[in-house]
Structures are given as structure tokens and as C-alpha cells.
């Protein structure tokens, strides 16, 4: 397969995706276009690809979806083809996405999880992958063997959070993968690949089918600790709560040692990488930006976040309201 044919394949997949309104509002498409554009400018003879990427970025609407979990993900296919042409391209990708790690509480990385570690016999963690509601269903039942349950929708940051929260709780010895695996990101298949094969010198999960399985917020030591500490059990595709509950009990019985009782003592020996945490405090002196400033007003009774935008001379310019922080900041940026 020639390089020209593969580039034409990339263009074809992205063009099909951009013909769909939902794709033009999906974070997966925007992120892929931006990454490909950045990488392509570092590679010679990509003029046609660059022109199309710039055109499509201009056609993107306001991003409304982080990931739609489509069975066929056009940007994911395009990125996978590009990585086949240039396997070294992972070194070009930006590392702007980071998350906060909290060392003195668990789960150490915040997220949409249900955590129950309150005894010595809860060695099972469950990822419901892209099946968000399944996590809530299992949490309501709360089998005694379950330590934590939550979704894992992406093959990079999502997996990094699984690693951090697993290795900081030595009672966890089994990671059960259930629910639907998003076709483009393939976080479940990527977790299995990570457990079986590890990562290469570029922190890419070996043999992962995901779009961008590059881990930038964990260390090699953390990855290896994860691989040694847990057994990953594949039930991908299963959304039958009763079958999952049976499996949780079965794998828990196979675990001969759990150490939730010694959690506080043992977790001190595990050093996880993190970023600086800056505590917010009131300023001694306020210097207003000449472009204006924002006043944020949470309204719990209406379940809304209100943001007032003022000019430099304190004139109210507009009011932005929404139900979630992500929608608010995307609107402000736009």
C-alpha cells in the first residue's frame, strides 16, 4: 500500500466524518484535526493534507460531545492510518492534557467513580468502559467484593486514571472490564493490551487498537506496578448485571490475599507522579484585564452555572449560563 494511497484514505475518512453534523461537533474530530495539522506541518510534502485540515477545522462547530462512542469513528480510523505511515509520530503529539492527583485521599485521581473500599475483602475494581449507566447500576447494588466502579471511555487519560487509582490502593487485585467498548477509542481492548504487552519507548501501549494510546501522565514504574498488581479480566460487551455480579464474586474468591486493612500504611510506599497543586486564595491586589473579567455564580436551586462578563470599566456585556462547566468554558472561548 503506497503512502499516497494511505494519505488519500485519511482524507476520505475525514471528509466522510465532516459530512455529518454530529462529527462537526465532536471533540474526537476536532482533536484529531488539530493533532494531524500540527504533525503534518513537521513533515514535508503534506501540502494537500494541510490545506484540507485547515479547511475542515474552519468548518467545525461548537464542540458539544467529548466522545459519541460511535461504532465507526472516522477520526479514529484516520489517525490510525496516519500512525501506520509514521509510527514515530507519537513524539510530535502535544501533552496538554493533565489531571490532578490527590495523594492523601482515595481515589487519588478524581473522576466519575463509585468507591466503596471499607474493609479487607473488596479486591475487585470494575470498569464499565463506555457504558456509563451500567456503573451506576452496579454501584446501587454494591456487592461486598467491589472496591470501585466507573467508566473508562478513552485509551489515554482514561487508562491513566485507572492506573493511578489502582496502584494507590493495594487491596485491588482484579480489574474487570465490562460494558461496551467505544469503537474508536477501544479503551477496553487497550487496557488488555497494556496488561499483556506493556508500553514502548514512546509510552504507546503495545498492540493497542485505540486511536491514540499514548500515556503521558504516568511513569514506566507506575505502569509496571499496575501490571504486577492486578489481573485484567475480559468481559467486554457484557451488560448483564447478574452475570457481572457472579463474575465479581468468582474472581474475588480466587484472590488469596487482600490488604485493605493495611491500606494507609502500604500506600505511603507507592510514589505516584503528579503535577503541582496550587491552592486558590484571595489576591492582595487585583489587576483587571483590559479585555474584561468574569463573575461566576453557581445557582444550586436551578442547577445552573451563571457567568457574567464585564468590560474593563465594569459594564455588564453578556450573561452566559449552562448546566456544566465544560459547556460554559467552550462558550466563553468561542
Amino acid at each position: 500500500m503506497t503512502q499516497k494511497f494511505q494519505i488519500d484514505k485519511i482524507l476520505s475518512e475525514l471528509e466522510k466524518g465532516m459530512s455529518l453534523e454530529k462529527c462537526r461537533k465532536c471533540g474526537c474530530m476536532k482533536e484529531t484535526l488539530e493533532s494531524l495539522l500540527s504533525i503534518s506541518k513537521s513533515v514535508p510534502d503534506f501540502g494537500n493534507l494541510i490545506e484540507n485540515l485547515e479547511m475542515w477545522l474552519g468548518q467545525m462547530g461548537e464542540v458539544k460531545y467529548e466522545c459519541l462512542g460511535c461504532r465507526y469513528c472516522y477520526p479514529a480510523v484516520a489517525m490510525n492510518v496516519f500512525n501506520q505511515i509514521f509510527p514515530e509520530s507519537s513524539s510530535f503529539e502535544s501533552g496538554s492534557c493533565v489531571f490532578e492527583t490527590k495523594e492523601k485521599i482515595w481515589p487519588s485521581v478524581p473522576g466519575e467513580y463509585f468507591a466503596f473500599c471499607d474493609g479487607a475483602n473488596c479486591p475487585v475494581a470494575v470498569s464499565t468502559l463506555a457504558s456509563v449507566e451500567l456503573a451506576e447500576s452496579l454501584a446501587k447494588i454494591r456487592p461486598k467484593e467491589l472496591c470501585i466502579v466507573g467508566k473508562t471511555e478513552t485509551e489515554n487519560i482514561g487508562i491513566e486514571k485507572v492506573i493511578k487509582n489502582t496502584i494507590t490502593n493495594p487491596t485491588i487485585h482484579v480489574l474487570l472490564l465490562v460494558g461496551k467498548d467505544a469503537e474508536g477509542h477501544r479503551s477496553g481492548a487497550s487496557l488488555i493490551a497494556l496488561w499483556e504487552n506493556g508500553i514502548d519507548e514512546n509510552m504507546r501501549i503495545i498492540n493497542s487498537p485505540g486511536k491514540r494510546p499514548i500515556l503521558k501522565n504516568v511513569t514506566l514504574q507506575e505502569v509496571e506496578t499496575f501490571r504486577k498488581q492486578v489481573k485484567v479480566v475480559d468481559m467486554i460487551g457484557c451488560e448483564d448485571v447478574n452475570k457481572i455480579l457472579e463474575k465479581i464474586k468468582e474472581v474475588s474468591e480466587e484472590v488469596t490475599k487482600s490488604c485493605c486493612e493495611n491500606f494507609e500504611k502500604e500506600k505511603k510506599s507507592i510514589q505516584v507522579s503528579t503535577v503541582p497543586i496550587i491552592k486558590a486564595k484571595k489576591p492582595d491586589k487585583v489587576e483587571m484585564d483590559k479585555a474584561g473579567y468574569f463573575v461566576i455564580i453557581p445557582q444550586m436551586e436551578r442547577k445552573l452555572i451563571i457567568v457574567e462578563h464585564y468590560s474593563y470599566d465594569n459594564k455588564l456585556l453578556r450573561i452566559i449560563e449552562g448546566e456544566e462547566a465544560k459547556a460554559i468554558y467552550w462558550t466563553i472561548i468561542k
Side-chain angles (χ1 to χ4, degrees), residues 156-171:
N156 35 59
I157 292 179
I159 289 180
E160 290 168 343
K161 290 186 175 185
V162 170
I163 293 171
K164 297 276 191 185
N165 286 333
T166 299
I167 66 175
T168 51
N169 189 338
T171 193

Side-chain angles (χ1 to χ4, degrees), residues 99 106 109 113 125-127 129 150-152 154 156-168 172 175 177 191 194 218 226 230 232:
F99 50 79
W106 188 82
V109 179
Y113 312 119
V126 175
S127 170
L129 304 176
K151 65 177 183 176
T152 311
T154 58
N156 35 59
I157 292 179
I159 289 180
E160 290 168 343
K161 290 186 175 185
V162 170
I163 293 171
K164 297 276 191 185
N165 286 333
T166 299
I167 66 175
T168 51
I172 298 174
L175 174 61
L177 305 180
L191 272 164
L194 175 69
V218 293
F226 169 78
V230 303
V232 177

Side-chain angles (χ1 to χ4, degrees), residues 97-101 103 164 217 272-278:
C97 294
V98 296
F99 50 79
E100 175 185 357
T101 302
E103 297 180 353
K164 297 276 191 185
N217 299 296
V272 294
S273 57
T274 184
V275 295
I277 299 175
I278 301 172

